[in-house]
Amino acid sequence: ANNIANMAEKEEENEQANEQANEEEETEQAREKKKEEETEKDKETNKQREQQGKQEKEKERQEDLRKRREDVAFASLKAAIEELLGLDPRTPQSRQKKGASVATTHRYWALDFDACSIAFRLASSPSSLLEGREDEVPAFEIVKVTHRKTAGSERSS
């Protein structure tokens, strides 16, 4: 009877040990699974960060390209306006006539284009123009540039 009781006790201890080992194994498996899930999440997060970084770099590249295009367009427009103003864009009626006592009849002019209007004025001193000095080249100053984006809407600068 003692033998049977010992065997039952040993069997019970073995069952408890097996249960504890199973629990530990399940706990270890759960830890490993959790670790794998975290690793997968980390990988996904890293992919998302990498993708965001690429998108940001592409946006920066596009912005730089847009700025360069605007700079080139602005430089071209500026050069064209300066060339135009250098040619004395006044109408013949507003220029000085030989033998006339008044050098010019107008002080402000405007040029209208499809995309913009440019208002400018004679920047030379009025006294030199009234005296009729022919050696002085007229200088012009841009007063206002109005940019038309779409029909009906205007933007001044």
Side-chain angles (χ1 to χ4, degrees):
N2 229 358
N3 232 358
I4 294 176
N6 282 342
M7 284 173 81
E9 246 180 65
K10 283 185 181 180
E11 221 175 279
E12 203 174 301
E13 286 176 7
N14 284 340
E15 283 179 24
Q16 287 177 351
N18 284 339
E19 284 177 17
Q20 190 176 6
N22 286 339
E23 287 176 9
E24 288 176 4
E25 190 176 319
E26 287 174 4
T27 305
E28 186 62 32
Q29 287 174 350
R31 284 185 198 145
E32 287 178 17
K33 186 175 181 180
K34 187 176 180 180
K35 198 174 192 180
E36 287 175 9
E37 288 173 358
E38 288 175 358
T39 303
E40 287 299 318
K41 285 180 185 178
D42 289 344
K43 285 180 184 178
E44 188 63 33
T45 303
N46 288 339
K47 282 182 185 178
Q48 288 174 350
R49 286 181 186 158
E50 190 176 306
Q51 220 171 15
Q52 286 174 344
K54 286 180 182 179
Q55 288 173 348
E56 288 173 6
K57 284 180 184 179
E58 180 62 22
K59 283 181 184 178
E60 288 174 6
R61 190 184 72 74
Q62 290 292 333
E63 183 67 20
D64 288 346
L65 184 60
R66 186 188 62 78
K67 284 180 183 179
R68 278 190 252 136
R69 285 181 183 155
E70 284 179 0
D71 290 346
V72 168
F74 177 75
S76 297
L77 178 62
K78 183 178 177 184
I81 292 170
E82 288 173 352
E83 180 180 352
L84 183 65
L85 293 178
L87 296 174
D88 194 356
R90 295 178 291 174
T91 61
Q93 297 86 356
S94 67
R95 294 183 187 163
Q96 176 184 357
K97 296 180 180 161
K98 291 187 179 178
S101 62
V102 179
T104 186
T105 58
H106 300 84
R107 295 276 180 234
Y108 290 87
W109 295 270
L111 298 172
D112 288 314
F113 300 98
D114 290 340
C116 68
S117 292
I118 303 167
F120 57 97
R121 68 179 175 174
L122 193 58
S124 299
S125 65
S127 61
S128 65
L129 290 173
L130 290 174
E131 292 171 7
R133 292 187 195 158
E134 291 185 21
D135 61 334
E136 188 171 322
V137 177
F140 298 93
E141 178 181 22
I142 295 176
V143 177
K144 183 178 181 180
V145 175
T146 304
H147 178 250
R148 292 184 199 98
K149 280 196 166 196
T150 58
S153 68
E154 292 188 358
R155 186 180 82 199
S156 295
S157 54

